[in-house]
Amino acid sequence: LFPYAALFRSKINFYRFAREPADPEVTVLAEVRHGPIVFGQDPPRNTKEMLDIFERDLVASTVSARLKNIKNQFKRIDFKGAACLSFSQIGEDHAAVNGKNQVMTLTFEGIACIHPQKQERYVRMVLSQRAPPKKIEDLSKDLKKFTDSLEFL
């Protein structure tokens, strides 16, 4: 079904899984984060504002000295009754180079959702991939299987 093996589960509702590599230069990880939504003094007033914060945090998490030429795509969707942000991010990872001294491409694709019955809870599901530019895989089938496995309890 979903050919990923668990790497670890942390104490902060964070799970990471890895797929057996078909190519030693390609790494594919699946990640799930979930838990309560915690905001500072100015909490969002509605779902749109919460998704705006998710989007802003996703953009901020990719801004670093090692990632360059980042392209972000975001789309608001309804997924299994939940308000979600679908996202795709791709950039050049200048800290990771292969044996040919070639900059690797780093991709993130996934969804971040607010629980439909418990608005104070979220889940984020991501597939990430690091590979040479000419070896980037289409992960859309894996992503669909991964996100379709989500059940809100």
Side-chain angles (χ1 to χ4, degrees):
L1 288 168
F2 189 64
Y4 291 73
L7 288 179
F8 67 85
R9 174 181 186 241
S10 75
K11 293 180 181 177
I12 56 168
N13 301 322
F14 173 61
Y15 305 83
R16 183 170 283 161
F17 308 87
R19 185 178 73 187
E20 188 67 36
D23 184 316
E25 290 187 303
V26 178
T27 303
V28 179
L29 299 175
E31 181 180 290
V32 177
R33 291 177 187 249
H34 67 93
I37 300 172
V38 179
F39 295 103
Q41 289 185 319
D42 293 322
R45 295 180 298 258
N46 54 47
T47 301
K48 181 196 175 306
E49 288 184 6
M50 285 172 134
L51 293 177
D52 287 344
I53 291 169
F54 286 173
E55 184 173 327
R56 189 175 63 231
D57 287 350
L58 283 164
V59 169
S61 71
T62 60
V63 175
S64 70
R66 69 184 283 171
L67 292 176
K68 307 286 185 208
N69 301 319
I70 303 162
K71 295 177 187 148
N72 295 297
Q73 290 183 322
F74 300 101
K75 183 178 179 184
R76 307 293 167 97
I77 61 170
D78 181 79
F79 183 76
K80 296 187 176 186
C84 299
L85 179 69
S86 170
F87 59 91
S88 175
Q89 299 173 289
I90 185 168
E92 298 169 356
D93 188 351
H94 287 259
V97 294
N98 64 7
K100 301 169 190 141
N101 209 25
Q102 181 181 35
V103 172
M104 303 290 265
T105 299
L106 185 60
T107 66
F108 298 98
E109 294 182 64
I111 58 172
C113 299
I114 300 166
H115 194 290
Q117 290 86 35
K118 301 172 187 167
Q119 299 289 297
E120 73 284 355
R121 301 196 64 80
Y122 81 100
V123 63
R124 186 174 82 178
M125 302 175 77
V126 182
L127 285 185
S128 66
Q129 174 178 202
R130 180 177 284 117
K134 293 187 187 233
K135 292 188 177 184
I136 292 294
E137 298 176 31
D138 177 2
L139 297 177
S140 58
K141 288 181 183 175
D142 279 353
L143 183 61
K144 181 164 176 29
K145 285 181 190 176
F146 185 42
T147 56
D148 282 352
S149 71
L150 176 62
E151 290 183 37
F152 291 102
L153 304 176

